Amino acid sequence: MQKTTRLRAQKERLIAFFIPFIVCVAIIVFKKIYPFGNKCMLHIDMYHQYYPYFSEFREVLVKNKSLYFTFNNGIGNDFFALYAYYLASPLNLFLVICPTKYIIEFMTILIVVKISLASLFAYKYFVYHFGIDENSKNLFDSEKCYAIALATSYALCGFCAAYSWNIMWLDSFALFPAVLCGIDKLVKENKAACYYVSLAIAIWANYYISIMICIFSFMYFIYIYIENAIEKKEKSIRSVINFIIFSLLSGSTSAVLILPELSVLKYAYSSTSTFPKKSTWYFGFLDEIMRMSLGIRVYIDDKHLPNIYTTTAALLLLVLYIFNKKIKLSRKIPRIIIVTFFFVSFSNNILDFIWHGLHFPSFLPARQSFIFSLIILCLMFEVLRNIEGIDVKRIIVALCIVFAPFLYQIFNGKENMNSNFNIIVTLLFVFLYAIILIILRRIKRRKKIFTALFAMIMISEVAINMTLVSFETTSRSSYLARSKDYKKIVEYLEKREGNDFYRVEQSERKTKNDAMLYNYSSATEFSSILNYNVSKFYQNLGLEGGTNFYSYYGATPVISAMLSVKYYISKNANEANGTRKFIKKIGDFYVYENTYTLPVGFAFSDEAEKNWNEKDLAPIDSINALSKSILLSESTELLTFSSNLQNVKPGKTTIKIYRPGHLYAVYDSIDIEYIDEYVNDDLRKTFSSISNDYILDLGEVKLGDRIYLKNDENRKIKFYIYNLNEKQIQENYKVLAHEKFKLESFEQTGLFNGVSLKGNIKLDKEKNIVFSIPYQKGWKCKVNGQEKKIESFKDTFIKIPLNKGENDINLEYETPYFKLGAFFTFASIISAILLISRRTNIN
């Protein structure tokens, strides 16, 4: 009998899991996502970050590369910190059995599985929290039926619809109901296993979303503890102690990830966040209510609009929750306060700042909205369970209250993301739910049929919404089109260079993380944990940069040389000039070798560094100041203003060449993305991301040529043209390359082995060696066998003072606080196991 009951309960849990699973698979088939078509779910950061990171992580695991550091992420980054921030989900370890060509599909499967697990855990939470009888033989018992429908609504809520592509958040989203279930068990039964395990895994998988879970868990525990004390007339200090202890143990279980991550994040732009000085409001209550509509477009931009759709039934049942006579006022008031608090939180800048870990989110707003959705669903369950507490009159009044703001929205004509069609469909569903509730309230027979109907309509509705607004796609074949050619290029360059250190760049990128996508070292990165000092350095010298990215676009020869960029890949057959030469065509791409390239380390005198102030000058002036500092003279400028004439018209600027040579252009800030360069009548190249303000490399031109710079936005753009002084770049390079660092070994193998570079440099006098590697904690250096303090060059690169003569250098990196964090993690797990086994019964 007990076995039969257990099997029945498992069957219903499987139903809770497989309903969203089937919905997601159906959407995949409908949207022709591979293998049902040529689409894939690479969207926003999944396109630009997660797929490249997954590709690199697989390389690390399969080829036993170092977990500590990678040169395939910008000019170098702590890979373990990147793993902790983006890749820590335990499910990602299954990458080792996934073929490289199916990584996209692996990620797609993970998304579907995590969404389905969210439904399963939500169902388990509803069952335990509301004391639903799982032993009932009838699947269509109203409470189980509602629990399955509400669990599905959680899994497919607005948060998931908006951020389903954000695979690194979905573990914590899925585990959140299990965390609340764990708190319930801790308070009611003093069982801590569920709470510890679920919260520990949630924090491990993604500490950022878990910040919000921890904030709410604290609030939830206080409320549940007080409510339980009132109802049972007893106060258990033991549950308070357990909550504190196991909360701390859950956090410290991830110490091996969090400590290294925090040591790296202090160099990121997010570390500059400051608490808001005054309170401001983003929008009004009516705008928030509209965000609960069916089919409303998900919002991911910077105006903070929350994605709080759960089901349109929530609109009606929230009002009926207030009207319900069977629900005690002592339960209503605190829950209504919590719901109100969330509405305020979405709109208020200070609460928004706190919810997001003392940081304003860069796009992707209201990341705590999944918590709000689960709270709403709990209130909905109470109304449905206590249907006898509302009469037909109250249902009709509630219906009118819901209709009022939506009708106002239609007739007011205020600009909003809702279309009238969205509003009408939303109201039709609300009306349908009201009719079913009236029937359920009035009839005595066949209630199970209408209960099932209510649940089926709710599931169908959230499935329709998910189909309409989620699972955005792109062309799979287009995304992977370069893979074969780039694999051949990388193999060719590895064979050509051996174990030497070099970087590769390209004229047109698929993403700013192409180096991870195709497995080579570059000078470009897009990551939330990048070293922002590098980005500022790039921007000061006219390269592309921002709060969470920097790129090689805008590099002039002296900067390119200092970044050790040796090869350049382009689809353009005409990139050869005085700064680079053609070496080989592979597939559709031309491989060029830069004329001026320095090794990863080069000598730079103190005097030259002091003479160069790159921060207080315009990029062109900063580059010229660098050139003069290198030569230690007031020589001519490296980039000289050109006398070539311009004819500026909307959409097209014509430059007639009277002074030939290698040209560069700068321009005033403008919000367009693309400019095409034509030389005479031939398209030479397309510049992308123009809004990011970087120097344009126009290439070499002859006397009498005409350059046409065109944009599709019909904008008038004045360009400031500069000629490259070929003689001066040669003199710069001669000085910098005179005392070269000769790399003897470059080791980056072994999962838990540090990265190391060994080599030597012979100096004519005391100088510094500068490495084109970001300056940050974790690096150690020995010179001639003696420990040497590492300093920073312009707050950006590693600098090591050296004596005259031979200097043997051993530079090694190990992720900071990794060993200390590992100790705390191990100690926390052992402590939790011992405490659970002694103080509670393991579930």
Side-chain angles (χ1 to χ4, degrees), residues 289-298 309 312 315 406 409-410 416-430 461 464-465 468-469:
I289 292 296
M290 294 299 109
R291 298 297 302 162
M292 300 179 75
S293 305
L294 171 64
I296 188 169
R297 181 164 57 88
V298 297
Y309 167 83
T312 57
L315 294 162
F406 286 91
Q409 181 65 37
I410 291 176
N416 193 282
M417 292 179 69
N418 278 58
S419 67
N420 287 347
F421 179 77
N422 289 132
I423 293 175
I424 291 169
V425 172
T426 296
L427 294 182
L428 285 174
F429 267 97
V430 172
E461 180 206 328
I464 290 169
N465 185 76
L468 291 174
V469 303

Side-chain angles (χ1 to χ4, degrees), residues 441-458:
R441 185 65 185 86
R442 295 295 296 270
I443 68 171
K444 295 183 179 179
R445 296 183 178 182
R446 298 182 178 177
K447 281 194 174 185
K448 291 179 181 178
I449 295 175
F450 287 97
T451 296
L453 180 62
F454 190 97
M456 288 171 62
I457 292 172
M458 190 186 299

